[in-house]
Amino acid sequence: MAELTDPAVGAGLSSGQVKRAALPARTGSGPGYEQEAALEAVRNRYAVMPSIVRHTLPRLAADPGFQRTVTQLREQGWRDWHLLTAIANLVGNHRAQQQRLSPTRGDSEERRAQILAVMQAPENPDDPPLPTEAFTEHALRSHLSAAAVSTAHALGLVVRRGALDPQTLLAVLGDRYGYWTDDIEHPDPFAS
C-alpha cells in the first residue's frame, strides 16, 4: 500500500459517508423447506392442538367477539392452524404459569421438558379457564410470533434473542417456507 501514488479508494471518508450496497433478498424456497414435510407438520398441528384446548375451543366458538377476531385474522391470511397454535400457546403458557413453571434462560433440559409437557397436555375440565377476553388479536399475534421461533428452529434456522423483529421472522417464514400458504383440508375448529 505504501507504494501507491494515489490514495486508496474511500480514503478520508468516515464510515457514515460510505454507502453500502444492499444485497438482493433471496427468493424461492428456503434451505430445508420441503412442502410435503411442511404439510405433514400442518396435519400434525390440526391433530394435536385441539386436545390442548378442547374445553377452551367451544367457549371461544360461542363468543361473538372472538368470532370477529377470527374473521379479521383470516382476512389477513391467518390459517386455522395459526389460530390453533396461538390459542394453544396462550392456554399452555397460562397453565404453566399457574403451576409456577415459567421458563428462564438457564433452564435444564429436564425443566424445559417439564414445562413443555405441561403446556402440551390435553386440557382438563378442571384447568382454570382463561376468559374469552384474553384471546385478543394482540395476544394471538404475540403467541404466534413466539411459536414462529420454534418453527424456525425446527427448520434449522438460528434466531438470536432480541435480534429479529417478530414480523420479519413471520415474513421470512411466509416468503421462503410456505408459512402463510401451506394448509390442508380440515373441519372448521371455530364453528359454533
Side-chain angles (χ1 to χ4, degrees), residues 63-91:
D63 184 76
F66 181 76
Q67 288 294 338
R68 282 190 296 278
T69 299
V70 167
T71 299
Q72 290 170 341
L73 291 173
R74 283 175 171 167
E75 288 171 356
Q76 295 170 29
W78 282 49
R79 305 292 180 211
D80 287 342
W81 66 264
H82 296 127
L83 290 159
L84 286 169
T85 299
I87 292 165
N89 279 352
L90 187 58
V91 169

Side-chain angles (χ1 to χ4, degrees), residues 173-189:
L173 290 175
D175 293 344
R176 311 268 327 269
Y177 294 92
Y179 196 80
W180 295 106
T181 54
D182 289 343
D183 205 357
I184 62 166
E185 288 292 321
H186 61 278
D188 185 347

Side-chain angles (χ1 to χ4, degrees), residues 38-118:
L39 293 175
E40 186 57 36
V42 168
R43 208 172 278 108
N44 185 53
R45 286 180 174 111
Y46 283 121
V48 172
M49 296 294 171
S51 70
I52 296 171
V53 290
R54 64 182 170 198
H55 299 289
T56 298
L57 280 179
R59 288 187 306 106
L60 292 176
D63 184 76
F66 181 76
Q67 288 294 338
R68 282 190 296 278
T69 299
V70 167
T71 299
Q72 290 170 341
L73 291 173
R74 283 175 171 167
E75 288 171 356
Q76 295 170 29
W78 282 49
R79 305 292 180 211
D80 287 342
W81 66 264
H82 296 127
L83 290 159
L84 286 169
T85 299
I87 292 165
N89 279 352
L90 187 58
V91 169
N93 279 316
H94 176 71
R95 192 181 308 147
Q97 288 171 353
Q98 292 292 312
Q99 296 183 30
R100 302 192 194 300
L101 290 173
S102 297
T104 59
R105 260 188 178 209
D107 282 344
S108 66
E109 284 294 323
E110 181 179 297
R111 180 156 170 87
R112 282 197 295 262
Q114 179 187 18
I115 294 168
L116 193 59
V118 167

Side-chain angles (χ1 to χ4, degrees), residues 148-149 152-153 157-164 169:
V149 173
H153 288 176
L157 303 176
V158 176
V159 179
R160 291 179 179 80
R161 275 189 203 268
L164 185 62
L169 175 60

